[in-house]
Amino acid sequence: IPKEARPYQGVTAGLVTRFVANTIDAIVVGVALVGCYLGISGLIFFLDPRTFTFPDASLLLSLTAGLFIATGYLTLAWWLVGRSYGGHVMGLRVTGRKGQRLGPLRSLARAAFCVFFPIGVLWIAVSPANRSVQDILLRTSVIYDWMPAAG
């Protein structure tokens, strides 16, 4: 841990840091969505190369797929590792109120809440404890944590 960052270890993360981490995660989800589209296109090409055309990507289908991919990605990241890629880059970890890793159901609930009600993160701006609506309702915290997860 850099010497300058040591005083922040374990402190609840603020709005700007979370915004940057969420932006990185949105890019990861976008790349996964493009990868799925290209994979489906490749399968269609493999099955019938003579009449191949790229499939139409409707806005509704793309948004729905993106929401499901984001929910699954965040659920697995918070349950298995305690952080998403954006959280890793920014040195953030999602924990329960006592610092423990989230279980699968609470990870899913938090992911769904974050994906379908993203404006809840703005509550951090008025919360003295830097907690979002999701954190308050699900009793979670997003803390600065540069240490690797302990099993």
Side-chain angles (χ1 to χ4, degrees):
I1 301 173
K3 190 180 259 188
E4 297 82 13
R6 289 181 189 155
Y8 299 102
Q9 181 75 8
V11 173
T12 308
L15 185 60
V16 173
T17 308
R18 289 203 208 184
F19 178 77
V20 173
N22 292 342
T23 301
I24 293 168
D25 289 333
I27 292 168
V28 169
V29 169
V31 168
L33 194 57
V34 169
C36 287
Y37 176 79
L38 293 175
I40 290 168
S41 298
L43 179 64
I44 292 170
F45 177 77
F46 179 75
L47 294 175
D48 190 8
R50 289 179 185 231
T51 62
F52 173 77
T53 59
F54 280 98
D56 289 332
S58 73
L59 180 61
L60 179 62
L61 180 62
S62 298
L63 283 175
T64 303
L67 293 173
F68 277 104
I69 289 171
T71 302
Y73 161 68
L74 292 173
T75 299
L76 290 173
W78 293 335
W79 171 36
L80 298 175
V81 187
R83 64 177 85 209
S84 62
Y85 182 70
H88 171 74
V89 170
M90 297 306 295
L92 303 178
R93 182 177 306 282
V94 177
T95 65
R97 292 290 280 162
K98 296 178 182 173
Q100 79 279 17
R101 191 178 300 165
L102 302 183
L105 292 178
R106 193 152 55 156
S107 295
L108 175 61
R110 189 173 198 287
F113 206 166
C114 289
V115 168
F116 292 98
F117 188 67
I119 199 163
V121 77
L122 294 178
W123 189 254
I124 296 167
V126 296
S127 170
N130 283 350
R131 299 187 70 218
S132 68
V133 171
Q134 293 86 337
D135 293 329
I136 294 166
L137 293 176
L138 296 171
R139 296 185 174 148
T140 59
S141 294
V142 178
I143 61 170
Y144 291 107
D145 184 6
W146 291 273
M147 303 296 284

